Amino acid sequence: MPGINGLIVHLLEAGFETADRPLVMLLHGFPELAYSWRKIMLPLAQAGFHVVAADQRGYGRTTGWDPSYDASTHPFGFPNVVTDTLTLAAALGREQVDCVVGHDAGSPAAAWCALLRPDVFRSVVMMSAPFAGPPTLPLSAEGADPLSPAQSDDALDAELAALARPRKFYQRWYRTREANDDLLQAPQGLRDVLRAYYHAKSADWADNDPHPLASRAAEDLARLPTYYVMERDRGMAATVAPEMPSEEQVRACAWLTEDELDVYVTEYTRTGFQGGLQGYRRYTDPDCVADLHPFAGRTIDVPACFISGKSDWGVYQIPGAVEAMRDRACTRMTGFHLVDGAGHWVQQEQPEQVARLLTAFIRDHA
């Protein structure tokens, strides 16, 4: 679909037979695609919804974004991503979106949609990544200038580097120039990188036993798996390589078959990862951060729900985020669901449960 805030958007649709169906928009994360919603689109359509999932800015067959590391990250800032979603809804002939659902990096994008335009986005579901609210105003306290996001990022990196077992935060790595080639040109090949990455963050990986962390101190964050708090001297491809599942485990993986994995391998071989990685850079880009300051203290006031896998460390990777989401950021939080038998890829690992939860929430609150 052309003309979407400077993009030509590739989308998947289900349940479009009549114009009066409630519209549900699905926003994927990293390293995902609109295809990541494939297992729940038809169940939602069968429940009576018009369901739309697009390749987000930076991903897949959506074009109009600059794939280079040196390109400005400002177009990937949340206000512009909200504009992407608004414009797509308008192109579909809709003035309202009954529910916007976001997973992983799509979770804060969906949250910002609901926060900035509650008149359009009438309810929101955040999945796998809690939304703690807008950043605070850059006020000075007692004459001391507060740390900027980039300075905070540097401070955390220094703390993790100083551990007896030197570490680094995965988002810090994903912001580097090297990250794209690390994934795309890994010695084991892109296919094995993606297979190991998806496996390690799923419920299939036996070592995933998430729980809240005591604080944001480096010693506490170092309890996270290495795909979140990495070894200092390794990229992500080397980090996940030891977790490559066996051939037997691959054959048994019903939620991501070899044919389904082919779709991701084909698309990321063609586009690379930089478009998706730009999303991590918006958190420290001064212009992207400044765009959010006017919304400090603003809350999400439409009905909201959170869904994640019970085996997903993403729920706890930012200590305090869950509590901030439930107690302050959302004033009408109606559900917090941790799904059995699922890790980070909850809508792929347990699509029937997720479709039931989404259907019930939308019917009750949209």
Side-chain angles (χ1 to χ4, degrees), residues 27-353:
L27 313 182
H28 68 78
F30 178 89
E32 298 183 283
L33 300 163
Y35 183 72
S36 300
W37 298 104
R38 65 196 177 280
K39 296 180 184 291
I40 67 168
M41 291 188 69
L42 288 179
L44 290 177
Q46 290 163 359
F49 305 121
H50 177 193
V51 189
V52 174
D55 286 341
Q56 297 296 293
R57 177 181 292 269
Y59 294 86
R61 301 185 185 186
T62 288
T63 59
W65 48 274
D66 190 328
S68 67
Y69 182 84
D70 293 313
S72 171
T73 55
H74 197 233
F76 295 84
F78 285 117
N80 200 47
V81 171
V82 172
T83 302
D84 291 345
T85 313
L86 276 171
T87 310
L88 178 57
L92 293 168
R94 298 302 192 101
E95 296 182 355
Q96 287 195 338
V97 177
D98 292 83
C99 188
V100 58
V101 183
H103 174 253
D104 185 79
S107 178
W112 278 103
C113 285
L115 189 145
L116 295 183
R117 293 301 304 268
D119 57 320
V120 175
F121 301 98
R122 305 304 298 157
S123 66
V124 59
V125 178
M126 296 157 284
M127 297 173 62
S128 299
F131 179 70
T136 57
L137 289 171
L139 292 171
S140 297
E142 299 178 355
D145 291 332
L147 291 178
S148 71
Q151 290 170 323
S152 295
D153 190 55
D154 289 342
L156 174 60
D157 189 60
E159 290 178 21
L160 290 171
L163 292 173
R165 177 185 168 196
R167 309 285 287 279
K168 63 189 175 194
F169 193 44
Y170 80 107
Q171 292 191 15
R172 173 87 175 196
W173 169 249
Y174 277 161
R175 286 192 274 269
T176 67
R177 186 179 295 273
E178 296 80 16
N180 177 70
D181 286 349
D182 172 70
L183 297 168
L184 199 60
Q185 300 177 15
Q188 68 267 46
L190 177 58
R191 184 182 193 83
D192 282 2
V193 170
L194 289 174
R195 174 59 78 181
Y197 191 82
Y198 292 140
H199 174 74
K201 297 185 74 170
S202 77
D204 295 343
W205 195 57
D207 288 346
N208 280 328
D209 184 21
H211 54 79
L213 301 175
S215 75
R216 299 190 186 197
E219 292 81 1
D220 289 319
L221 291 177
R223 301 177 188 275
L224 288 163
T226 54
Y227 55 74
Y228 278 132
V229 177
M230 304 164 65
E231 302 289 352
R232 188 75 184 177
D233 60 351
R234 289 188 178 185
M236 186 59 77
T239 295
V240 299
E243 316 311 333
M244 180 67 186
S246 67
E247 291 183 8
E248 182 179 356
Q249 288 173 309
V250 170
R251 287 194 297 270
C253 185
W255 64 268
L256 185 62
T257 67
E258 289 290 83
D259 287 344
E260 289 170 328
L261 183 61
D262 281 341
V263 175
Y264 294 98
V265 174
T266 298
E267 291 301 289
Y268 279 103
T269 296
R270 187 174 57 80
T271 66
F273 291 87
Q274 193 58 55
L277 293 170
Q278 301 292 56
Y280 292 98
R281 300 173 68 196
R282 63 188 162 206
Y283 291 102
T284 55
D285 181 315
D287 292 334
C288 290
V289 175
D291 287 344
L292 304 181
H293 284 150
F295 309 104
R298 186 164 181 172
T299 53
I300 293 175
D301 300 322
V302 299
C305 177
F306 182 79
I307 300 173
S308 189
K310 190 173 286 186
S311 297
D312 184 6
W313 270 106
V315 181
Y316 306 113
Q317 66 159 305
I318 305 296
V322 166
E323 293 78 10
M325 177 181 67
R326 301 181 76 172
D327 299 338
R328 298 189 299 277
C330 299
T331 62
R332 298 175 66 187
M333 194 88 189
T334 68
F336 184 88
H337 306 280
L338 300 181
V339 176
D340 285 322
H344 188 66
W345 322 105
V346 58
Q347 80 274 32
Q348 298 184 69
E349 295 179 66
Q350 294 295 338
E352 293 181 1
Q353 292 186 60

